[in-house]
Amino acid sequence: MKKQILETFYRMGIDIKAVDTSTDEQVYKLLYPAESIEKKAFYNIGAGRFNHPCWTNVDGESEWYGNLNKPQATGITFDMFAHQPLKVADYSAELIYTSHTIEHADNESVQYLFNDCFRMLKKGGVFRIVTPHTENAYRAWRRGDRAYFYWSEWDSLNVDFERLCLKLPLREATLSQIFLDDFASAAAEITTVGNEKRISDTELEKLFNELPFDKAMDYCISLCSIDDQRKYPFRHMNWFNDDKLITMLKKAGFTSVTKSAYLQSDAPVLRNAKYFDQTLPKVSLYFEASK
């Protein structure tokens, strides 16, 4: 059990020995209305195999993932690109969490999602966003820091790189192509499926030398299509840094937008490492927004 949860019980004068330590469901009962717990008014968007008794999984279905990200029977099937509101009542969500999901969608779809999360969230509720920190990745590429992209070695563990639409294992790719594949997969030369126009190492260097950071990044993701993304949803087609997230979240209506860090949420239950912030914490960007 996390230190923060223990502190919650201590502040409330609750005997920790009387609490079931196999789950943090008791913490939810202390912090949230019974109605919210009964209705599972806690939403994990892009949930994958996430499983928590208080949460509702929200995810899409695709042939590529199979049953990997299929929402549980009580979950919500969601198409990020359809621009349709989730079947959740206005001002009813206590918490919304999304981790390593928005980089798989275009700007318009992400903005629609943020707008809808604002609609759903209660006053004082928390919307936590976790996504790859593309600006840090950019700096790592510029300084030749291959170790930053540590997941590129994972295909040495028998990962099927051909299924990942790669011409060769990432560990054999140039650093420029690894960086490009990390935020605009369809624009990378190392992919087997992508835009007709691909970006070589030389072109990538020239692009960032001649254009401002955000303009260069936007050009790269402009080569990624929604049609391809639907077929290969595991690939990335977007980038985010502090300024971009702040702008989009405030456009959605959020009045409080703050940069966070690994397991440093304003919501005590989101500090539980068993359930949250598990994906690539060393290279992730964390933000929280509320009304």
Side-chain angles (χ1 to χ4, degrees), residues 43-50 58-60 64-65 68-69 78 80-81 96-106 110 113-114 127-137 148-151 154 181-183 229 232-240 245 261-263 275-287:
Y43 299 91
N44 187 338
I45 298 174
R49 290 180 173 177
F50 178 85
V58 181
D59 213 332
W64 193 90
Y65 279 114
L68 179 63
N69 65 333
F78 173 58
M80 177 82 84
F81 300 114
I96 304 173
Y97 178 80
T98 187
S99 175
H100 288 262
T101 298
I102 59 175
E103 66 273 14
H104 298 270
D106 61 297
V110 174
L113 174 65
F114 286 0
F127 176 29
R128 184 168 179 81
I129 305 103
V130 186
T131 189
H133 197 319
T134 318
E135 198 164 332
N136 279 354
Y148 179 89
F149 304 90
Y150 60 93
W151 63 88
W154 288 353
D181 179 64
D182 191 44
F183 74 96
Q229 194 67 19
Y232 310 103
F234 64 93
R235 305 206 302 179
H236 292 181
M237 64 178 302
N238 214 333
W239 66 275
F240 296 93
L245 278 177
Y262 174 66
L263 295 179
Y275 296 104
F276 304 102
D277 295 1
Q278 296 178 331
T279 304
L280 299 171
K282 291 188 286 187
V283 297
S284 292
L285 179 64
Y286 301 88
F287 262 83

Side-chain angles (χ1 to χ4, degrees), residues 73-103:
T74 57
I76 299 173
T77 300
F78 173 58
D79 181 352
M80 177 82 84
F81 300 114
H83 298 182
Q84 295 292 325
L86 289 170
K87 295 181 179 179
V88 177
D90 296 358
Y91 312 111
S92 65
E94 298 283 358
L95 299 173
I96 304 173
Y97 178 80
T98 187
S99 175
H100 288 262
T101 298
I102 59 175
E103 66 273 14

Side-chain angles (χ1 to χ4, degrees), residues 4-219:
Q4 293 88 346
I5 296 175
L6 296 173
E7 290 173 348
T8 299
F9 287 127
Y10 177 78
R11 289 195 305 272
M12 294 183 175
I14 297 171
D15 182 5
I16 191 64
K17 295 179 182 178
V19 177
D20 179 5
T21 58
S22 65
T23 177
D24 65 349
E25 191 173 356
Q26 293 289 340
V27 182
Y28 287 79
K29 293 179 180 179
L30 291 167
L31 298 177
Y32 299 101
E35 181 183 14
S36 293
I37 296 171
E38 181 182 356
K39 292 184 176 180
K40 295 189 174 184
F42 309 85
Y43 299 91
N44 187 338
I45 298 174
R49 290 180 173 177
F50 178 85
N51 183 29
H52 190 288
C54 296
W55 283 72
T56 297
N57 282 13
V58 181
D59 213 332
E61 294 182 339
S62 73
E63 293 182 4
W64 193 90
Y65 279 114
N67 291 324
L68 179 63
N69 65 333
K70 186 175 183 179
Q72 72 269 45
T74 57
I76 299 173
T77 300
F78 173 58
D79 181 352
M80 177 82 84
F81 300 114
H83 298 182
Q84 295 292 325
L86 289 170
K87 295 181 179 179
V88 177
D90 296 358
Y91 312 111
S92 65
E94 298 283 358
L95 299 173
I96 304 173
Y97 178 80
T98 187
S99 175
H100 288 262
T101 298
I102 59 175
E103 66 273 14
H104 298 270
D106 61 297
N107 286 326
E108 186 179 0
S109 298
V110 174
Q111 187 65 63
Y112 187 93
L113 174 65
F114 286 0
N115 296 349
D116 202 39
C117 287
F118 180 83
R119 174 193 65 80
M120 294 161 49
L121 202 64
K122 282 185 175 182
K123 179 73 173 177
V126 174
F127 176 29
R128 184 168 179 81
I129 305 103
V130 186
T131 189
H133 197 319
T134 318
E135 198 164 332
N136 279 354
Y138 165 75
R139 287 195 288 268
W141 167 61
R142 282 300 205 187
R143 66 176 178 266
D145 183 1
R146 195 178 185 96
Y148 179 89
F149 304 90
Y150 60 93
W151 63 88
S152 64
E153 294 296 325
W154 288 353
D155 54 24
S156 63
L157 303 175
N158 298 318
V159 172
D160 185 353
F161 66 91
E162 292 181 356
R163 185 170 183 267
L164 298 178
C165 302
L166 294 171
K167 295 178 181 178
L168 72 171
L170 279 178
R171 68 179 184 274
E172 298 177 12
T174 66
L175 186 58
S176 293
Q177 291 299 310
I178 292 173
F179 166 61
L180 185 57
D181 179 64
D182 191 44
F183 74 96
S185 301
E189 286 190 324
I190 58 172
T191 60
T192 57
V193 179
N195 194 281
E196 183 177 344
K197 164 64 180 173
R198 307 293 181 89
I199 301 174
S200 68
D201 292 10
T202 301
E203 290 170 323
L204 190 68
E205 184 84 23
K206 185 174 184 289
L207 190 65
F208 281 94
N209 285 340
E210 295 180 351
L211 295 177
F213 171 79
D214 58 338
K215 299 298 183 184
M217 297 294 286
D218 284 343
Y219 172 75

